Amino acid sequence: MTGRRTLSLARIRSLVLVPFLAIVLALIAGAVVMILSSPLVSDSVDLLLPVRAYAALFQGAFGSVDAWIKTLANATPLILAGFAVGIGFKAGLFNIGAQGQFLVGALGATAVALALNDASPVVAIPLSLLGGMAGGLLYGMIPGVLKAFSGAHEVVTTIMLNYVAIFLVSGVIGGPLRGENVTYSRTDDIQAATLPIFLGGAGHIGILFAAVSVPIVWWFLFRSTIGFEVRTTGANSEAARYAGMNPRWLIIFTLSLCGLFAGLAGATEILGDVGYMPASFSTTVGFDAIAVALLGRANPVGILFAGLLFGALQAGAGPMQIQAGIPVQIVSVLQAVILFFLTAEVLVRQVFRLKSDAKAPGELANLSGSYAARR
Amino acid sequence: MEFLYDIPVIGLFIQFVVYLAGHTPVVAPIVVAAAIPVALGALCGFMNERSGVVNIGIEGMMLTAAFVAWWVASIVHGLIPSSPGPFGITPALLVGLAAAIAAACAVSAVHAWLSITVRADQIISGTIINIFAFGITGYLNLLISQNAPATAGSFKSISLPSAITDLPLVGWLFNSFLAVGPIALSMLVSVILLQVLLHRSRWGLRTKAVGEHPKAAETVGIDVIRLRYRNVILGGVFAGLAGAYLTIEFGSAFQGGMTNGRGFIALAALIFGRWTPIGAFGAALLFSATVGIERLIRFVPPEGTLGDILTSIPLEVYEALPYIITIVVLAGVVGRSIPPAAVGRPYERESKAA
């Protein structure tokens, strides 16, 4: 174990170089997929298709001020939900449930926002955001309590809860919260709690939540006592127990906190971006967040950059589809390949002839370690 | 019988049971059809987890197989059109099925490599498979659908002679379970076969040993790594069948994300069925029963108070039931489901350990 402050060369390599190389390899793999599939679009193999596609992608993500704002707006929920997964990692918990917590958070924010539709925005906005965080927190608490008191593994319970959340949302939105003058199953428009827009009307202030969260999460994890306990439990739960920490309480606390961030992401999406809640909310933020947290190595700053990268990929995906005819789903392929190369670090090291890291497999390699034994 | 209906609460329960029993023969085929891909997916999970490898990538493997089965079958169909034989079998469908199994096995092999050789986190490996499968099938499907290939059709169910289906009391059982297509039949055979093999064969005993205590297994001369590789890759066969069932037996077209969580339900069925093939199949039937019950209540609700109660429950509650049941089982409220002890832990040979 290296000291807390030391940033050894090996560590920088593991934190920066390997993710970077994984991204490069993923872009190459994406190019190969595009070239191989080009006969499906045109008559012959089109070797220049990836060039056109990536140019359009880059243009759509960074080519103008609007593109930058689109990138930031897409990155916001990814970063917030990325914390929901990343904080869990630090405690040795695998929170696959960010998607469900995101949905329930969105639902909570919507319910409060609709109830306060006639109130002043000064009251409505903070309360609706709190509603979202409370929704996510309570939903994250469920797997926490189950794990702490009966040992039910959080991976399986959160996967199940993701599906329960889908039906919960569709039941509540289709039932009690269904709007009066709407054509399909959705709520009325949210009035008072709509997040103010700035940056020339192109972005909403939700972007600031992500920016503010980064130092808060960093401080929490690396400077606060409870953050230290969370990380100790993650590194060695037996040692944490002998040091007098209470693993049960820490599990519940951590998963609730994870849920809070995912819930905030959901609230931001509804209040800032969508403006109402549909009964079927088609989003994959909570799943993408797993990729974000892994790419960011569960580090708040890493998650910020990973979220920005995936936000940029999503912002550029639309223009890429229009200009180069490459379906937006390629972004999922790129994400999966990035994760693949991160996971198979061995492969990356061999391709680029890097020296192997003494402490490999890295800190994330053995997270779920004992699917059964940790009960 | 009718007088029993008046007992408070218990009367309602009796009415409910009578209502369900009365409609079972009609609903059963729907329930079985819904249970087949789930049970096949659970068999894939069984092969993995019994030998000590977690697989949450079943969903992605099924989705890949569903796409490949449909795509390959429609390409072959365009090259050699032919009239269907018994079971609706055509060369195109057979090639599609083989390709689906091969594709799922290939994905399984990647999972095996990551989780056994690289010793990476198995949950992450499964997550990668799910994201990748969702992306690549959606990507290719959009590109292909611009040329809209003709579908190759689908396997047909056998029709049993009416002498069998008309049998009193049990006729509907044969009708639900045996009047099915070839992939569904292969599932029934596999469940029974694997259940027997697990407890009665050398392979089954070795697999159990490797899943429970790999070190002990290694000391008695079992090659843990090889057995795990073989079982995980063979597990792909069942994910392949499950995916193919969706696009070339139950339906005949592919849609992006069409597995719709069945891979995760399969995982739930495996847990609920306590990691045995028969148990998983039973759980798949139970979970799918909620589909049947939901349809029944929507289209032919019972009369009186019972009907009022059942129809006042949002349909979403019925849909969420399989997931809730699984959570309750996991929490040990109904009964503890204990996974193989070595599940999720990569195996490291003594000699190689530091």
Side-chain angles (χ1 to χ4, degrees):
Chain A
M1 271 282 167
T2 44
R4 229 163 81 183
R5 295 280 189 86
T6 351
L7 263 180
S8 65
L9 215 65
R11 208 165 149 65
I12 292 176
R13 215 171 26 221
S14 161
L15 282 178
V16 180
L17 196 57
V18 173
F20 175 76
L21 294 177
I23 294 165
V24 172
L25 286 175
L27 288 177
I28 295 171
V32 172
V33 170
M34 288 181 211
I35 291 172
L36 288 180
S37 60
S38 60
L40 292 170
V41 201
S42 61
D43 297 330
S44 57
V45 174
D46 186 353
L47 286 174
L48 286 176
L49 186 63
V51 181
R52 289 207 308 280
Y54 285 143
L57 180 84
F58 190 81
Q59 189 73 18
F62 303 113
S64 62
V65 176
D66 277 359
W68 269 98
I69 293 168
K70 188 103 189 4
T71 295
L72 291 177
N74 279 323
T76 299
L78 290 175
I79 294 167
L80 290 172
F83 290 147
V85 183
I87 294 172
F89 280 156
K90 286 287 183 195
L93 296 165
F94 210 126
N95 181 20
I96 307 252
Q99 180 74 12
Q101 293 145 15
F102 175 93
L103 286 177
V104 177
L107 186 63
T110 309
V112 177
L114 288 173
L116 297 176
N117 243 353
D118 299 323
S120 144
V122 186
V123 184
I125 292 174
L127 285 181
S128 301
L129 288 172
L130 279 178
M133 289 191 269
L137 183 142
L138 290 174
Y139 212 62
M141 196 185 280
I142 300 172
V145 170
L146 290 175
K147 172 149 190 138
F149 289 101
S150 71
H153 199 277
E154 79 278 3
V155 166
V156 188
T157 50
T158 52
I159 287 176
M160 299 304 141
L161 285 169
N162 282 340
Y163 282 92
V164 176
I166 293 173
F167 299 118
L168 179 69
V169 166
S170 96
V172 173
I173 302 294
L177 283 187
R178 196 190 155 107
E180 278 164 18
N181 302 310
V182 290
T183 43
Y184 68 101
S185 192
R186 51 163 275 193
T187 66
D188 286 323
D189 285 334
I190 289 164
Q191 313 278 345
T194 312
L195 293 182
I197 44 183
F198 76 143
L199 289 172
H204 59 79
I205 60 160
I207 291 171
L208 297 178
F209 302 158
V212 173
S213 297
V214 176
I216 294 179
V217 174
W218 186 87
W219 178 86
F220 165 78
L221 279 176
F222 299 108
R223 287 291 174 273
S224 75
T225 315
I226 189 155
F228 175 71
E229 293 190 4
V230 165
R231 285 186 300 127
T232 312
T233 313
N236 189 338
S237 67
E238 284 300 303
R241 201 195 310 271
Y242 284 116
M245 299 168 189
N246 183 344
R248 273 191 183 171
W249 143 250
L250 279 172
I251 287 170
I252 298 172
F253 173 83
T254 308
L255 280 170
S256 304
L257 187 69
C258 292
L260 181 141
F261 277 104
L264 179 61
T268 313
E269 278 293 271
I270 292 293
L271 303 178
D273 213 39
V274 190
Y276 60 88
M277 178 114 184
S280 56
F281 196 10
S282 65
T283 165
T284 54
V285 169
F287 298 117
D288 297 338
I290 300 173
V292 168
L294 286 171
L295 179 60
R297 302 273 158 136
N299 179 296
V301 181
I303 288 172
L304 173 72
F305 284 110
L308 286 173
L309 173 74
F310 284 3
L313 285 177
Q314 290 179 359
M320 183 176 65
Q321 175 153 18
I322 295 163
Q323 289 169 31
I326 296 294
V328 294
Q329 280 85 351
I330 195 79
V331 170
S332 296
V333 176
L334 294 179
Q335 288 179 4
V337 178
I338 291 174
L339 286 191
F340 173 81
F341 284 118
L342 276 182
T343 312
E345 265 193 48
V346 195
L347 205 68
V348 179
R349 286 176 195 287
Q350 270 170 12
V351 169
F352 290 95
R353 304 192 181 281
L354 292 178
K355 255 189 285 172
S356 92
D357 195 337
K359 62 191 264 295
E363 53 216 84
L364 288 182
N366 277 313
L367 268 177
S368 70
S370 44
Y371 180 62
R374 234 180 317 117
R375 315 170 141 245
Chain B
M1 205 60 184
E2 298 281 329
F3 68 95
L4 289 170
Y5 289 3
D6 296 332
I7 311 169
V9 185
I10 298 169
L12 280 177
F13 181 73
I14 294 171
Q15 280 183 56
F16 185 55
V17 172
V18 171
Y19 165 70
L20 285 188
H23 291 88
T24 303
V26 192
V27 179
I30 302 175
V31 173
V32 172
I36 288 158
V38 175
L40 281 168
L43 290 183
C44 170
F46 164 80
M47 296 290 288
N48 282 260
E49 303 219 341
R50 268 295 169 143
S51 37
V53 178
V54 183
N55 189 356
I56 67 162
I58 304 172
E59 177 88 3
M61 294 177 184
M62 282 169 66
L63 194 58
T64 310
F67 175 78
V68 169
W70 165 78
W71 191 25
V72 171
S74 53
I75 289 174
V76 176
H77 181 68
L79 297 175
I80 38 165
S82 54
S83 56
F87 265 146
I89 289 173
T90 62
L93 290 178
L94 284 182
V95 175
L97 178 62
I101 292 174
C105 287
V107 180
S108 286
V110 174
H111 183 55
W113 180 72
L114 280 177
S115 37
I116 302 168
T117 303
V118 177
R119 297 203 297 274
D121 190 291
Q122 296 165 10
I123 303 286
I124 295 177
S125 171
T127 306
I128 294 172
I129 290 169
N130 287 335
I131 299 178
F132 183 80
F134 189 79
I136 195 78
T137 56
Y139 170 85
L140 289 174
N141 185 39
L142 270 183
L143 287 186
I144 294 166
S145 59
Q146 292 169 0
N147 304 326
T151 70
S154 55
F155 291 120
K156 301 279 174 296
S157 308
I158 38 169
S159 41
L160 297 172
S162 59
I164 295 175
T165 53
D166 289 349
L167 282 176
L169 291 175
V170 288
W172 65 272
L173 270 177
F174 291 117
N175 192 41
S176 317
F177 284 97
L178 296 180
V180 289
I183 299 179
L185 276 183
S186 77
M187 185 274 295
L188 288 175
V189 174
S190 307
V191 165
I192 297 166
L193 196 68
L194 283 179
Q195 181 75 33
V196 175
L197 285 179
L198 177 69
H199 296 301
R200 297 271 177 277
S201 76
R202 211 168 75 124
W203 166 81
L205 294 175
R206 291 184 158 205
T207 298
K208 279 196 279 188
V210 164
E212 295 294 343
H213 204 315
K215 248 174 210 150
E218 186 93 34
T219 42
V220 295
I222 302 172
D223 190 337
V224 175
I225 306 277
R226 228 180 94 192
L227 188 67
R228 281 193 177 171
Y229 258 103
R230 198 177 348 139
N231 281 356
V232 171
I233 294 174
L234 274 179
V237 173
F238 299 107
L241 287 170
Y245 176 80
L246 294 174
T247 48
I248 58 172
E249 183 163 308
F250 184 71
S252 60
F254 179 85
Q255 283 169 353
M258 71 181 297
T259 43
N260 218 353
R262 286 185 185 89
F264 292 117
I265 290 257
L267 191 69
L270 181 67
I271 295 167
F272 194 50
R274 302 191 172 210
W275 285 268
T276 62
I278 294 273
F281 178 49
L285 280 176
L286 179 73
F287 289 169
S288 305
T290 60
V291 178
I293 292 174
E294 187 231 286
R295 293 243 183 108
L296 201 58
I297 289 168
R298 195 174 342 169
F299 296 114
V300 261
E303 290 164 3
T305 331
L306 179 70
D308 293 341
I309 295 173
L310 288 180
T311 48
S312 69
I313 300 172
L315 293 175
E316 283 85 2
V317 173
Y318 298 103
E319 288 178 277
L321 266 181
Y323 306 98
I324 297 174
I325 293 173
T326 307
I327 294 172
V328 170
V329 170
L330 268 174
V333 177
V334 171
R336 200 95 148 123
S337 198
I338 299 162
V343 145
R345 275 186 287 180
Y347 180 69
E348 219 166 328
R349 281 212 176 90
E350 285 295 310
S351 53
K352 281 186 188 168

